[in-house]
Amino acid sequence: MRVINFNAGPAGLPLPALERARDELLEFQGSGMSIMEHSHRGKEYDAVHEEAIALLTKLLAIPDTHQVLFLQGGASQQFAQIPMNFLTPETSADFLMTGVWSEKAFDEAKYYGKPRIAATTVNADKRYTRVPRQDELKVDPRAAYVHMTSNNTIYGTQWHTFPDVGAVPLVADMSSDLLWKPIDVSQFALIYAGAQKNVGPSGIVIVVVAKEFMARGRQDIPKIFRYSTYAENNSLYNTPPTFAIYLCRNVLSWIQDVGGLKQLEAWNRQKGDLLYAAIDRHPEFYRGPVEKDSRSYMNVVFRLPTEALDEAFVAESKKAGMVGLKGHRSAGGIRVSLYNAVTVDNVRALVSFMDEFVRTRG
Amino acid sequence: MRVINFNAGPAGLPLPALERARDELLEFQGSGMSIMEHSHRGKEYDAVHEEAIALLTKLLAIPDTHQVLFLQGGASQQFAQIPMNFLTPETSADFLMTGVWSEKAFDEAKYYGKPRIAATTVNADKRYTRVPRQDELKVDPRAAYVHMTSNNTIYGTQWHTFPDVGAVPLVADMSSDLLWKPIDVSQFALIYAGAQKNVGPSGIVIVVVAKEFMARGRQDIPKIFRYSTYAENNSLYNTPPTFAIYLCRNVLSWIQDVGGLKQLEAWNRQKGDLLYAAIDRHPEFYRGPVEKDSRSYMNVVFRLPTEALDEAFVAESKKAGMVGLKGHRSAGGIRVSLYNAVTVDNVRALVSFMDEFVRTRG
């Protein structure tokens, strides 16, 4: 029996996407082999590749000014690959610091150019409990780009209004909230996302890049690291992670089937609102550190009065068929990840458990 | 019904490895979720990760001096990542040029140091029909490393005795023949292989690196690109491609079950010998360009007297349930890939078809 999976990533995937993969794992569409055994240059795989791009383009309403690319190496490789492409030792990029992942992106940029902090909400405990306000941003108009993390999995914060950075290209790590709702892609020069939260398995990175921005990329770096190489070859310069892309196709197809991003947003808001309401009903017991305006709809973090209660919460919820609730090793406490495969009913089950837990243990 | 799959990569996988994946795709070992939905830091995935490393270590008899790493980006990324780690603008690496992939590796190295050709078998047609002899190597003892491609998928050549490069570290791209037979890992400073031929699906690169060599790696490059980062974190610095590693585990487990690399070598030699015997029976009809000493046991290439016959061969073999026989787009003709999942009986079927084809069309 499948459990209720609140994992932070790799995360649960929609059952229909997995069932489809299982049913044709040995034989893809009567071709006599698995999709992962097909050549990446054959017509069977090509149709899947094109469908994944077309579905993503449609769901996100990606304009002609932008292109979808499939890369590898996780968002962590993008932390280095973006400055490798767009910085020189003499140029700078501005970073909006909102947590562990922005810090890592900042650190990798140092090897290629001059990263600069344009805003940070780090507090005296070296933690982050909110994202910056617009009036806190000090963007350098000469920056090659501004880098932001749209959702912070560890601290449970999320940008609800994207920052206005003027004419400077905006680059966003959306690993943990791409596809949670419709967005205006045209605001961004480059969006990247490790797929393993809302889109598919680990091992594949979705990039949506403005062609105009991509054209500024350095040509004096290895071919395999240039975004333009992926663009010119429709992400088939070398063998892509075909099965991972196939699974993303299955997930994207499921998103379309259930009604697209507006429907997902409605469910995701319902899920987050139910859970935050449970926290707010028992503010002395479930202590959410995040300021309300910055609360994430993807990762909800809170602590119980003691670490022993945190542990009991995780252990007892597991007995009730719910897994993945332990906070990140660097943050502790409880973390509930509410990615697209988590249903409203899953959250109702958790909320009932939480109400009961506070009644018996509070 | 599954076909006989001679694809060059992504290639056919052993049926038991795929069946295992199918059977537990929705629920891994009673855990209530797919292995791809598990956290990469959880005990269920960790056991798979460790088992994959342990199986590879045992099958290849990897000594304690070396470490297994899992990377992403394909062998093509390694073409750049190796010189990024081990070259500076002032240092050089020696390349043994045996085909398209060595050329690509050479080209990417230019961005980090001074690649130098220590041997090449390129001919007047800019093709390669053999690998270099030992007496043709001109290795610079000051080279940071020597790079070779152990098997050349496009030209159908293979090194049957690894070169002696003295005290210079030997780096080998074994993407298309790792695990075809036992090898002496201690001869190599670094072995890398995209998994999608003999080991698993695309999207995962196996690296076996000498710890001593790795320690010479540059520390002034981004963390995500350093081999030492992968080594220090047991390939879990960031989220690895968990499902791809799981599939490799299934394939490695199958290799162990059928008798290990000695058994695979026996089968692979039988397969290659059967096929080359068929070619040599009809040398006017099946024209193999490769010199006998350099013939590959993984990719067998030949041409028929006309392109029309090449096409008829591909079309009719497909009707007979055999796919993947078309040569690489840059080479033309026929290519038969005989990776580990191809059985001796599969090759017997092909050989019967070839004998019959020459009888009716020769």
Side-chain angles (χ1 to χ4, degrees):
Chain A
M1 206 193 71
R2 288 182 43 96
V3 294
I4 298 178
N5 184 348
F6 292 114
N7 274 342
L13 291 170
L15 189 57
L18 287 175
E19 286 172 335
R20 189 174 179 183
R22 178 199 58 192
D23 293 346
E24 59 191 17
L25 197 82
L26 299 192
E27 179 157 1
F28 177 72
Q29 293 182 353
S31 65
M33 65 180 84
S34 178
I35 188 67
M36 73 182 94
E37 301 176 295
H38 271 285
S39 168
H40 58 298
R41 311 236 176 252
K43 68 180 189 334
E44 292 85 357
Y45 174 71
D46 194 57
V48 169
H49 191 90
E50 291 297 341
E51 191 186 349
I53 295 169
L55 282 165
L56 194 69
T57 303
K58 189 178 166 201
L59 289 167
L60 277 171
I62 297 171
D64 283 346
T65 48
H66 286 59
Q67 187 168 355
V68 173
L69 310 177
F70 298 128
L71 276 76
Q72 295 184 61
S76 294
Q77 182 167 320
Q78 295 304 299
F79 297 164
Q81 200 165 344
I82 292 164
M84 188 200 290
N85 273 265
F86 299 107
L87 289 185
T88 67
E90 288 74 40
T91 59
S92 68
D94 273 8
F95 285 72
L96 310 182
M97 308 300 282
T98 53
V100 172
W101 305 111
S102 349
E103 289 173 1
K104 285 184 186 263
F106 180 88
D107 286 342
E108 295 287 54
K110 291 176 192 164
Y111 296 99
Y112 298 106
K114 297 175 178 161
R116 207 186 67 94
I117 295 176
T120 179
T121 49
V122 71
N123 64 23
D125 297 332
K126 295 190 177 172
R127 290 167 179 268
Y128 299 78
T129 57
R130 65 176 181 89
V131 301
R133 295 184 310 270
Q134 180 68 36
D135 63 19
E136 293 174 306
L137 311 189
K138 292 191 175 60
V139 172
D140 177 353
R142 293 159 307 176
Y145 58 87
V146 175
H147 181 277
M148 66 175 289
T149 315
S150 57
N151 181 73
N152 304 282
T153 47
I154 295 176
Y155 293 110
T157 64
Q158 189 174 27
W159 290 81
H160 292 294
T161 307
F162 293 125
D164 178 355
V165 294
V168 182
L170 183 58
V171 171
D173 175 4
M174 294 195 186
S175 291
S176 52
D177 69 354
L178 186 70
L179 301 181
W180 90 279
K181 68 167 187 180
I183 56 168
D184 176 4
V185 169
S186 70
Q187 292 177 272
F188 297 92
L190 193 152
I191 293 167
Y192 65 100
Q196 68 269 19
K197 321 282 190 180
N198 270 335
V199 197
S202 61
I204 167 88
V205 176
I206 311 285
V207 170
V208 182
V209 60
K211 295 169 189 170
E212 197 178 80
F213 181 63
M214 186 163 51
R216 300 182 203 172
R218 292 175 64 160
Q219 297 294 308
D220 58 348
I221 60 172
K223 260 185 139 172
I224 192 70
F225 290 132
R226 295 178 210 162
Y227 294 98
S228 57
T229 299
Y230 289 82
E232 287 158 15
N233 295 279
N234 194 26
S235 304
L236 289 161
Y237 171 69
N238 69 332
T239 316
T242 55
F243 194 67
I245 292 170
Y246 159 82
L247 282 164
C248 289
R249 192 283 309 260
N250 288 4
V251 172
L252 294 166
S253 176
W254 169 81
I255 294 175
Q256 176 166 273
D257 289 348
V258 299
L261 298 188
K262 280 196 178 170
Q263 179 60 66
L264 288 185
E265 180 179 10
W267 284 332
N268 284 326
R269 289 198 181 276
Q270 209 181 340
K271 285 149 55 182
D273 290 343
L274 278 166
L275 186 49
Y276 283 117
I279 291 169
D280 292 341
R281 270 198 299 282
H282 313 288
E284 298 303 314
F285 194 74
Y286 296 120
R287 298 162 185 191
V290 176
E291 294 188 21
K292 288 196 178 176
D293 286 352
S294 293
R295 280 177 164 178
S296 168
Y297 277 86
M298 295 284 100
N299 312 94
V300 178
V301 299
F302 55 89
R303 290 179 164 282
L304 278 64
T306 66
E307 281 187 25
L309 279 168
D310 285 342
E311 282 169 30
F313 185 93
V314 170
E316 292 186 25
S317 63
K318 196 165 182 180
K319 284 183 202 155
M322 292 176 273
V323 303
L325 292 170
K326 197 173 170 188
H328 188 269
R329 57 205 162 123
S330 72
I334 305 296
R335 172 170 56 176
V336 189
S337 295
L338 299 177
Y339 302 125
N340 287 338
V342 173
T343 66
V344 175
D345 279 348
N346 292 162
V347 178
R348 285 193 210 283
L350 174 62
V351 164
S352 298
F353 171 84
M354 287 170 69
D355 285 338
E356 180 65 13
F357 193 83
V358 73
R359 201 182 62 76
T360 55
R361 310 289 289 265
Chain B
M1 209 193 67
R2 287 181 44 95
V3 294
I4 298 178
N5 183 350
F6 293 113
N7 273 343
L13 292 170
L15 189 57
L18 288 175
E19 285 172 336
R20 190 174 179 182
R22 178 200 57 193
D23 293 346
E24 58 191 18
L25 198 82
L26 299 190
E27 178 158 0
F28 177 71
Q29 293 182 351
S31 65
M33 63 181 84
S34 178
I35 187 66
M36 73 182 94
E37 300 176 295
H38 271 285
S39 169
H40 58 298
R41 311 234 176 252
K43 68 179 188 331
E44 292 86 356
Y45 173 72
D46 194 57
V48 169
H49 192 88
E50 291 297 341
E51 191 187 350
I53 293 170
L55 282 164
L56 195 69
T57 302
K58 189 178 165 200
L59 289 167
L60 278 171
I62 298 170
D64 283 347
T65 49
H66 286 60
Q67 187 168 354
V68 173
L69 310 177
F70 298 128
L71 276 76
Q72 294 184 61
S76 294
Q77 182 168 321
Q78 295 303 299
F79 298 164
Q81 200 166 344
I82 292 165
M84 188 201 290
N85 274 265
F86 299 105
L87 290 185
T88 67
E90 288 73 40
T91 60
S92 68
D94 273 8
F95 284 72
L96 310 183
M97 308 298 283
T98 53
V100 172
W101 306 111
S102 348
E103 290 173 359
K104 285 184 185 265
F106 181 88
D107 287 343
E108 296 287 53
K110 291 177 192 164
Y111 296 100
Y112 298 106
K114 295 175 180 163
R116 205 186 70 92
I117 294 177
T120 178
T121 49
V122 72
N123 63 23
D125 295 334
K126 297 190 175 170
R127 290 168 180 267
Y128 299 77
T129 58
R130 64 176 181 90
V131 300
R133 295 184 310 270
Q134 180 67 36
D135 63 18
E136 293 174 306
L137 311 189
K138 294 193 174 60
V139 173
D140 177 353
R142 294 161 305 177
Y145 59 87
V146 175
H147 181 276
M148 65 175 289
T149 315
S150 57
N151 180 74
N152 304 284
T153 47
I154 294 175
Y155 292 110
T157 65
Q158 190 174 26
W159 291 79
H160 292 295
T161 307
F162 293 125
D164 178 357
V165 295
V168 182
L170 182 57
V171 171
D173 174 4
M174 295 196 186
S175 291
S176 53
D177 69 354
L178 186 71
L179 300 181
W180 89 278
K181 67 167 187 180
I183 56 168
D184 177 4
V185 169
S186 70
Q187 292 177 270
F188 298 92
L190 193 152
I191 293 167
Y192 64 100
Q196 67 269 19
K197 322 282 188 177
N198 271 334
V199 197
S202 60
I204 167 88
V205 177
I206 311 286
V207 169
V208 183
V209 60
K211 294 168 189 169
E212 198 179 80
F213 180 64
M214 187 164 51
R216 301 182 202 172
R218 293 176 63 160
Q219 297 295 308
D220 59 345
I221 59 173
K223 261 186 139 172
I224 191 73
F225 289 132
R226 297 177 209 164
Y227 293 98
S228 57
T229 299
Y230 288 82
E232 287 157 15
N233 295 280
N234 194 26
S235 303
L236 289 161
Y237 170 69
N238 68 331
T239 315
T242 55
F243 194 67
I245 292 170
Y246 159 82
L247 282 164
C248 290
R249 193 282 310 260
N250 288 5
V251 172
L252 294 166
S253 176
W254 169 82
I255 294 175
Q256 175 166 274
D257 288 348
V258 298
L261 297 188
K262 280 194 178 171
Q263 179 60 67
L264 288 185
E265 180 179 10
W267 284 333
N268 283 326
R269 289 199 182 275
Q270 208 181 339
K271 284 150 54 181
D273 291 343
L274 277 166
L275 187 49
Y276 283 117
I279 291 169
D280 292 341
R281 270 198 298 281
H282 313 288
E284 298 303 314
F285 195 75
Y286 296 120
R287 301 162 183 191
V290 176
E291 294 188 22
K292 287 196 178 175
D293 287 352
S294 293
R295 280 176 165 180
S296 168
Y297 278 86
M298 294 286 99
N299 311 94
V300 178
V301 299
F302 56 89
R303 290 179 165 283
L304 278 64
T306 65
E307 282 187 24
L309 279 168
D310 285 342
E311 282 170 30
F313 185 94
V314 170
E316 292 186 25
S317 62
K318 194 164 183 181
K319 284 184 201 152
M322 291 176 273
V323 303
L325 293 169
K326 197 173 172 191
H328 187 270
R329 56 206 161 120
S330 71
I334 305 297
R335 172 168 57 175
V336 188
S337 295
L338 300 176
Y339 302 125
N340 288 338
V342 173
T343 66
V344 175
D345 279 349
N346 291 163
V347 178
R348 284 193 210 284
L350 174 63
V351 164
S352 298
F353 172 83
M354 286 169 70
D355 286 338
E356 180 66 14
F357 193 81
V358 72
R359 201 182 63 76
T360 55
R361 309 292 288 265

